[in-house]
Short mmCIF file of all heavy atoms in Angstrom, two decimals:
data_model
loop_
_atom_site.label_atom_id
_atom_site.label_comp_id
_atom_site.label_asym_id
_atom_site.label_seq_id
_atom_site.Cartn_x
_atom_site.Cartn_y
_atom_site.Cartn_z
N ASN A 85 -41.23 59.89 15.66
CA ASN A 85 -41.25 58.75 14.76
C ASN A 85 -40.35 57.62 15.23
O ASN A 85 -39.39 57.25 14.56
CB ASN A 85 -40.85 59.22 13.36
CG ASN A 85 -41.44 58.37 12.29
OD1 ASN A 85 -42.04 57.35 12.56
ND2 ASN A 85 -41.26 58.79 11.07
N HIS A 86 -40.66 57.04 16.38
CA HIS A 86 -39.86 55.92 16.90
C HIS A 86 -40.07 54.67 16.06
O HIS A 86 -39.17 53.83 15.96
CB HIS A 86 -40.24 55.63 18.35
CG HIS A 86 -39.88 56.75 19.27
ND1 HIS A 86 -38.58 57.13 19.51
CD2 HIS A 86 -40.66 57.59 19.99
CE1 HIS A 86 -38.57 58.15 20.35
NE2 HIS A 86 -39.83 58.46 20.64
N ALA A 87 -41.24 54.52 15.45
CA ALA A 87 -41.52 53.35 14.62
C ALA A 87 -40.57 53.27 13.44
O ALA A 87 -40.12 52.19 13.06
CB ALA A 87 -42.97 53.38 14.15
N CYS A 88 -40.23 54.41 12.87
CA CYS A 88 -39.29 54.44 11.74
C CYS A 88 -37.91 53.97 12.19
O CYS A 88 -37.26 53.18 11.52
CB CYS A 88 -39.21 55.85 11.16
SG CYS A 88 -38.24 55.96 9.65
N THR A 89 -37.47 54.45 13.33
CA THR A 89 -36.17 54.04 13.87
C THR A 89 -36.14 52.54 14.13
O THR A 89 -35.17 51.86 13.79
CB THR A 89 -35.88 54.81 15.17
OG1 THR A 89 -35.93 56.21 14.90
CG2 THR A 89 -34.52 54.45 15.73
N ILE A 90 -37.20 52.01 14.72
CA ILE A 90 -37.26 50.58 15.02
C ILE A 90 -37.26 49.76 13.74
O ILE A 90 -36.57 48.75 13.64
CB ILE A 90 -38.50 50.27 15.89
CG1 ILE A 90 -38.33 50.88 17.27
CG2 ILE A 90 -38.75 48.77 15.98
CD1 ILE A 90 -39.60 50.89 18.11
N SER A 91 -38.02 50.19 12.74
CA SER A 91 -38.07 49.43 11.49
C SER A 91 -36.72 49.45 10.77
O SER A 91 -36.31 48.45 10.19
CB SER A 91 -39.19 49.93 10.58
OG SER A 91 -38.96 51.25 10.18
N TYR A 92 -36.01 50.59 10.80
CA TYR A 92 -34.67 50.62 10.23
C TYR A 92 -33.73 49.69 11.00
O TYR A 92 -32.94 48.96 10.40
CB TYR A 92 -34.09 52.04 10.26
CG TYR A 92 -34.43 52.85 9.04
CD1 TYR A 92 -35.32 53.91 9.13
CD2 TYR A 92 -33.85 52.57 7.81
CE1 TYR A 92 -35.64 54.66 8.01
CE2 TYR A 92 -34.16 53.33 6.70
CZ TYR A 92 -35.05 54.37 6.80
OH TYR A 92 -35.36 55.11 5.70
N TYR A 93 -33.82 49.69 12.30
CA TYR A 93 -32.97 48.82 13.13
C TYR A 93 -33.22 47.35 12.79
O TYR A 93 -32.27 46.58 12.60
CB TYR A 93 -33.24 49.08 14.61
CG TYR A 93 -32.52 48.13 15.52
CD1 TYR A 93 -31.16 48.26 15.76
CD2 TYR A 93 -33.19 47.07 16.13
CE1 TYR A 93 -30.49 47.38 16.57
CE2 TYR A 93 -32.53 46.19 16.96
CZ TYR A 93 -31.18 46.34 17.17
OH TYR A 93 -30.52 45.45 17.97
N ILE A 94 -34.48 46.96 12.71
CA ILE A 94 -34.81 45.57 12.37
C ILE A 94 -34.29 45.23 10.98
O ILE A 94 -33.69 44.17 10.77
CB ILE A 94 -36.33 45.34 12.46
CG1 ILE A 94 -36.80 45.39 13.91
CG2 ILE A 94 -36.73 44.00 11.83
CD1 ILE A 94 -38.30 45.42 14.07
N GLY A 95 -34.51 46.12 10.03
CA GLY A 95 -34.07 45.87 8.66
C GLY A 95 -32.56 45.70 8.54
O GLY A 95 -32.08 44.75 7.91
N TYR A 96 -31.81 46.60 9.15
CA TYR A 96 -30.35 46.51 9.08
C TYR A 96 -29.81 45.31 9.87
O TYR A 96 -28.88 44.64 9.42
CB TYR A 96 -29.70 47.80 9.58
CG TYR A 96 -29.69 48.89 8.55
CD1 TYR A 96 -30.57 49.96 8.64
CD2 TYR A 96 -28.81 48.87 7.49
CE1 TYR A 96 -30.58 50.97 7.70
CE2 TYR A 96 -28.80 49.88 6.54
CZ TYR A 96 -29.68 50.92 6.65
OH TYR A 96 -29.68 51.92 5.72
N SER A 97 -30.38 45.03 11.02
CA SER A 97 -29.90 43.91 11.84
C SER A 97 -30.13 42.58 11.14
O SER A 97 -29.22 41.73 11.08
CB SER A 97 -30.59 43.91 13.20
OG SER A 97 -30.27 45.06 13.92
N THR A 98 -31.33 42.38 10.62
CA THR A 98 -31.61 41.11 9.94
C THR A 98 -30.86 41.01 8.62
O THR A 98 -30.43 39.93 8.24
CB THR A 98 -33.12 40.92 9.73
OG1 THR A 98 -33.64 42.03 9.00
CG2 THR A 98 -33.85 40.77 11.04
N GLY A 99 -30.70 42.13 7.93
CA GLY A 99 -29.92 42.11 6.68
C GLY A 99 -28.47 41.74 6.92
O GLY A 99 -27.88 40.97 6.16
N PHE A 100 -27.89 42.27 7.98
CA PHE A 100 -26.51 41.94 8.32
C PHE A 100 -26.38 40.46 8.67
O PHE A 100 -25.45 39.78 8.22
CB PHE A 100 -26.06 42.80 9.51
CG PHE A 100 -24.64 42.55 9.94
CD1 PHE A 100 -23.58 43.09 9.24
CD2 PHE A 100 -24.37 41.75 11.05
CE1 PHE A 100 -22.27 42.85 9.64
CE2 PHE A 100 -23.07 41.51 11.45
CZ PHE A 100 -22.02 42.06 10.75
N ALA A 101 -27.32 39.94 9.45
CA ALA A 101 -27.29 38.52 9.82
C ALA A 101 -27.46 37.64 8.59
O ALA A 101 -26.78 36.61 8.46
CB ALA A 101 -28.37 38.22 10.86
N THR A 102 -28.33 38.02 7.68
CA THR A 102 -28.53 37.25 6.45
C THR A 102 -27.24 37.20 5.63
O THR A 102 -26.87 36.14 5.11
CB THR A 102 -29.66 37.86 5.60
OG1 THR A 102 -30.86 37.85 6.36
CG2 THR A 102 -29.87 37.09 4.32
N LEU A 103 -26.56 38.32 5.54
CA LEU A 103 -25.30 38.38 4.81
C LEU A 103 -24.28 37.39 5.38
O LEU A 103 -23.64 36.64 4.64
CB LEU A 103 -24.74 39.80 4.86
CG LEU A 103 -23.37 40.00 4.24
CD1 LEU A 103 -23.48 39.99 2.73
CD2 LEU A 103 -22.76 41.28 4.73
#
Side-chain angles (χ1 to χ4, degrees):
N85 208 353
H86 295 295
C88 187
T89 303
I90 292 168
S91 63
Y92 272 109
Y93 174 76
I94 290 170
Y96 280 104
S97 296
T98 57
F100 181 79
T102 300
L103 175 75

